[in-house]
Amino acid sequence: MNTGNNTAGKTAPERYVSEKAFEELPDAFQKLAELLGEDQFELVAVNEKDSQDIYVRNGEIRLVYLMNDAVESFLIFGNARMTGVYKPDYEGEILADLSRQGREYILVVHQDDSVVTLFFETLTLEKHLYDYSQIGHFWVEGYEYLKKQGVPVIEDYRVCHTADEVWDAICKIGENRGNLSYDIDGAVVKLNSIADRQKLGATSKVPRWAIAYKYPPEEKETKLLDIELSVGRTGRITPTAIFEPIRLCGTSVSRATLHNQDFINTLDVGIGDTIVVYKSGEIIPKIKEVRKEKRPADWQRFQIPDTCPVCGAKTVREKDTADIRCVSPDCPAQLERHIINFVGRDAMDIKGFGAVYVTELVRLGYIHDIADIYVLKNHREELIEQGIIGKEKNTDKLLDAIEQSKQNEPFRLLTGFGIQNVGKAAAKAIMRQFKSIDALAKADREQLLEVNDIGEVSAECILDYFASEKNQKILERLREYGLTMELAEDDTVGDLLAGLTIVVTGTLPNLGRKEAQELIEKNGGKAAGSVSKKTSYVLAGENAGSKLTKAEQLGIPVITEEEFLHMIQKDA
C-alpha cells in the first residue's frame, strides 16, 4: 500500500468518525509498513459486526443471527452430526465437529473477521490434532467463496490501496450505516493477505494487522408516551421516560431515566414530546434533546407530584439536593427495596432470596422490617403450604441461608441497614473504627467524623438512623436473634496501610484480586476500584490494562505483589 496521502488537506466528517481518528490515520499506516518491512500492501475496509453463533437442530448446522427478540437462522449444512461444542475465543475457536458423507468438517467463527471462516480439515480424534488449511491466501477469497456457498456474510467490503481510499471507505460505510439489515458501531480496516496477518500476529488484546474506527452513538427520534415514577428504598422518587420502542445498537429500547425534576426542567420535556434517544457507551439509553417544533398543542412540562405514587403520602424535596422523597415509614415500595438491599450481595448476601420472594412476603404480611426475615422459620409450614418460596426443599434451602447469614461480618449488617450515604465501603471503614454496632450506635458527631470518607452529611444520616426508636427496636431484635454485632478478634484491623488508597489491577503471581483487597483493608488501607489523583499506589500484576496506564500518566507509584507483601510485614 502507498502510505503517501493527502488526508492533511481534508476534514473529518464529524457525523461518522472523530477528528482524532482522522488525523492518526497516516501514522497507523506507517506503523503497519514498519511492522511488515515493506511499503506496498493491500487493505480491506469492512463494517464492524459481532460474530454469529452456530447451533445444530435436527441434524442441520445453522448460522444464527440474534436480531432483537427474534432469531434468524440460515442453513449451512444438512444431514450433519455434531460431535462436540466449544466456546469461541477472540482468535476463533472450533464450535462444532461435523461429519458428513464420510468426510469430517469443522466450522469456525472468527470474531475479528466479522465473517464466518470455513476450514476443511482432517480430524484425528485419537491424538486430538487438527490439520487445517484456510480457503485461499486472502480474506477476499474466503469471503467470495462463502458467499457463493450461500453462507450469510457482511453486506459490503472495500479493497484499498491508498490512505485516501481507506478514509473514503470508512466514511462511505458510515453513510450506509442506516441501510444495513444489522447494526454496526464502526469500521475495521485490515490486511487482506492471510500471510501478512500471520506475520504480524496479535498483542494480548488485539491483532496488529487491523485498525478499528468507532462511529458516534446512533440517535433516533421517538415519541414520549408516559413518565413512570418509582420509589426506592430511601423513598427517593425516580422518573423514567416510557417511549415508543426504537432499535438502537442492536436492541429494542423503550425506557430511559429522567433522573429528577431538575433534569426534567432543563430538558423541558413533557408527555407527547418527540425526543432524541441515544445509547451512552453503546449500552445505556439516554435522552439527548426534545424536538420542540414537533410538540403537541396541549403540551405541559411534566411535574413530579407532591404525593407518593405508591402510598399517597406527602413528598418533600431535600434541602440542597434535587431529590424528592416519600417520607412515610409505612410506604410498601420503600419496604420492598429496603429488604432487597438487606438480602443483596453487598449486604447480607442471602443466597436465593430474590426480589420476587421479597415482594410476595411483604404483600402477604410476613415481613414488615428486616428483623422479620429471621422469624420466617417460625412460618415454615405455611410457606411450604402456600408455595411462596416453593416446595419443601426450596423453602428449607432459603431458611438455612437466612440462618447462616447471622454469622456475617458486622459491616454487612451495617450495609443492610440502608442508611443514606453508607454503602459497603463506608460500612467497612466505620466498623474498622468502632469494632461493634453497639459502639457505633452510641457514637457522637465528632467521633463519626474521625472515620475516613465520613463527612457531615453521612454523619447526620447515621445519627438520625440510630436515634430512631423504631430502628432501636429492630436492632434489639436482631441482637436477640443472634446476628453478629461486633468484629471477631481475628478481624481486627492493623494500621500498616492506614491513610493509603491502593488499586489492584492485573493478575498477581499468588494473590487473587479479592484476597489482595482484603489484605489492604485488614491493614487499615482503602482498596479502591479506580485510579485517581487520590490513589497512593497501584498494585499491578500481569496483563494490567487501563488502570496501569492511568497510574503512569498521573505519576502514581506502581508496586509488585512482592513489594506489597513487604509493606504489610510488621517487622518490615
Side-chain angles (χ1 to χ4, degrees):
M1 176 176 195
N2 180 6
T3 57
N5 63 86
N6 298 315
T7 55
K10 298 184 177 183
T11 57
E14 185 180 350
R15 179 181 170 193
Y16 304 125
V17 285
S18 70
E19 191 78 37
K20 182 180 180 182
F22 174 76
E23 293 173 350
E24 292 176 351
L25 189 59
D27 291 338
F29 290 156
Q30 185 62 40
K31 185 176 181 181
L32 274 177
E34 292 172 359
L35 290 171
L36 286 170
E38 55 183 281
D39 291 335
Q40 300 296 321
F41 47 87
E42 192 172 66
L43 297 173
V44 288
V46 298
N47 55 56
E48 187 175 15
K49 183 183 186 299
D50 292 335
S51 62
Q52 296 82 33
D53 293 328
I54 305 294
Y55 81 104
V56 177
R57 182 177 182 183
N58 298 329
E60 296 178 346
I61 306 303
R62 290 178 174 268
L63 174 66
V64 181
Y65 288 85
L66 298 179
M67 302 283 289
N68 193 13
D69 298 326
V71 175
E72 297 182 9
S73 64
F74 301 86
L75 178 64
I76 298 177
F77 289 113
N79 191 27
R81 177 174 60 86
M82 180 176 69
T83 60
V85 176
Y86 307 82
K87 291 183 178 180
D89 61 17
Y90 184 82
E91 294 298 327
E93 183 64 68
I94 298 161
L95 294 186
D97 302 342
L98 315 177
S99 178
R100 179 172 179 252
Q101 296 178 355
R103 293 193 62 186
E104 290 172 325
Y105 298 86
I106 292 182
L107 201 57
V108 178
V109 168
H110 272 243
Q111 293 182 356
D112 54 293
D113 267 359
S114 301
V115 63
V116 175
T117 306
L118 182 63
F119 290 88
F120 295 103
E121 7 200 317
T122 302
L123 175 64
T124 307
L125 291 173
E126 294 80 6
K127 297 182 180 179
H128 299 285
L129 298 175
Y130 301 92
D131 175 27
Y132 54 83
S133 59
Q134 198 160 15
I135 301 170
H137 301 289
F138 297 92
W139 180 88
V140 170
E141 293 178 4
Y143 176 96
E144 293 298 341
Y145 176 85
L146 291 172
K147 190 174 182 180
K148 289 178 182 178
Q149 305 306 309
V151 176
V153 294
I154 54 177
E155 297 180 19
D156 195 10
Y157 69 86
R158 291 171 172 81
V159 178
C160 306
H161 299 89
T162 68
D164 284 345
E165 288 179 4
V166 169
W167 190 250
D168 289 340
I170 292 171
C171 294
K172 286 176 181 176
I173 289 172
E175 291 171 358
N176 194 43
R177 182 180 180 186
N179 299 323
L180 298 173
S181 60
Y182 47 82
D183 293 287
I184 65 170
D185 63 357
V188 179
V189 180
K190 48 194 169 186
L191 288 171
N192 192 16
S193 168
I194 303 302
D196 284 347
R197 293 184 182 190
Q198 292 171 345
K199 180 179 178 180
L200 295 189
T203 68
S204 60
K205 294 183 178 181
V206 295
R208 294 188 179 94
W209 43 262
I211 309 166
Y213 291 89
K214 296 292 184 182
Y215 298 121
E218 184 181 11
E219 300 174 356
K220 286 186 179 178
E221 288 187 3
T222 185
K223 184 178 180 181
L224 180 59
L225 303 176
D226 196 8
I227 295 178
E228 182 181 278
L229 301 175
S230 60
V231 183
R233 64 179 176 81
T234 62
R236 183 175 180 267
I237 297 174
T238 302
T240 300
I242 312 298
F243 44 83
E244 291 180 346
I246 51 175
R247 185 174 176 79
L248 285 175
C249 305
T251 61
S252 179
V253 178
S254 59
R255 302 167 63 92
T257 182
L258 289 170
H259 302 290
N260 51 54
Q261 187 63 52
D262 286 357
F263 183 83
I264 290 172
N265 293 346
T266 301
L267 198 61
D268 194 24
V269 66
I271 294 172
D273 263 330
T274 297
I275 56 177
V276 178
V277 182
Y278 71 102
K279 275 190 176 181
S280 175
E282 304 288 334
I283 297 173
I284 302 172
K286 291 188 176 182
I287 298 176
K288 179 181 180 180
E289 60 187 352
V290 176
R291 298 288 194 226
K292 296 181 181 180
E293 70 276 8
K294 296 184 179 181
R295 64 180 23 156
D298 59 347
W299 175 88
Q300 287 185 329
R301 180 191 296 162
F302 185 82
Q303 180 70 40
I304 297 175
D306 57 3
T307 57
C308 174
V310 176
C311 69
K314 191 75 174 175
T315 60
V316 297
R317 175 161 179 163
E318 289 193 339
K319 184 180 179 181
D320 299 326
T321 75
D323 294 340
I324 296 176
R325 299 183 186 276
C326 169
V327 294
S328 170
D330 300 317
C331 181
Q334 290 185 61
L335 176 58
E336 282 185 26
R337 301 293 195 285
H338 183 33
I339 300 301
I340 290 170
N341 171 72
F342 185 84
V343 304
R345 183 181 301 175
D346 284 346
M348 296 302 281
D349 195 21
I350 302 178
K351 305 296 184 186
F353 209 146
V356 174
Y357 296 157
V358 172
T359 299
E360 278 299 286
L361 290 168
V362 169
R363 184 180 68 84
L364 295 172
Y366 286 99
I367 294 180
H368 300 90
D369 55 49
I370 57 176
D372 285 340
I373 293 171
Y374 293 93
V375 294
L376 285 175
K377 61 184 180 180
N378 299 338
H379 306 285
R380 176 181 178 274
E381 300 302 326
E382 296 174 39
L383 296 174
I384 294 172
E385 183 178 344
Q386 295 183 54
I388 297 171
I389 302 170
K391 300 298 181 182
E392 184 174 349
K393 183 178 179 179
N394 279 352
T395 301
D396 286 340
K397 189 175 180 179
L398 179 58
L399 293 177
D400 286 345
I402 292 172
E403 284 299 303
Q404 291 171 17
S405 74
K406 293 180 179 180
Q407 308 306 316
N408 283 344
E409 296 175 78
F411 84 83
R412 290 192 171 276
L413 180 59
L414 179 56
T415 305
F417 287 162
I419 302 173
Q420 277 184 253
N421 302 303
V422 179
K424 184 178 177 179
K428 285 183 176 181
I430 291 168
M431 291 312 303
R432 285 198 296 266
Q433 181 83 3
F434 291 99
K435 314 301 183 189
S436 74
I437 298 291
D438 288 339
L440 172 62
K442 297 174 183 177
D444 58 28
R445 183 186 306 275
E446 287 69 27
Q447 290 172 314
L448 290 172
L449 291 175
E450 291 176 4
V451 181
N452 286 337
D453 298 332
I454 297 298
E456 292 284 352
V457 175
S458 298
E460 189 65 34
C461 291
I462 295 169
L463 292 171
D464 289 346
Y465 182 85
F466 287 107
S468 164
E469 184 178 345
K470 178 182 178 181
N471 292 334
Q472 290 173 7
K473 291 179 179 179
I474 291 173
L475 195 61
E476 184 57 39
R477 289 175 63 198
L478 293 173
R479 187 182 296 105
E480 179 187 333
Y481 298 152
L483 274 74
T484 302
M485 295 283 191
E486 60 183 86
L487 285 173
E489 289 187 12
D490 291 342
D491 292 330
T492 53
V493 176
D495 59 1
L496 293 173
L497 301 179
L500 299 180
T501 299
I502 301 177
V503 175
V504 183
T505 183
T507 303
L508 301 174
N510 301 296
L511 297 174
R513 182 172 299 188
K514 184 176 181 181
E515 187 180 3
Q517 291 172 335
E518 288 175 350
L519 283 173
I520 292 168
E521 292 173 348
K522 195 165 185 177
N523 285 277
K526 178 181 178 181
S530 59
V531 178
S532 70
K533 292 180 180 179
K534 296 182 179 180
T535 304
S536 307
Y537 295 96
V538 170
L539 171 55
E542 290 186 3
N543 300 321
S546 59
K547 293 177 183 177
L548 177 58
T549 302
K550 188 171 183 180
E552 292 170 343
Q553 292 172 345
L554 295 175
I556 294 168
V558 178
I559 58 175
T560 64
E561 180 186 281
E562 183 179 357
E563 291 171 322
F564 168 70
L565 292 175
H566 182 73
M567 290 171 66
I568 59 176
Q569 290 177 3
K570 293 185 178 179
D571 56 350

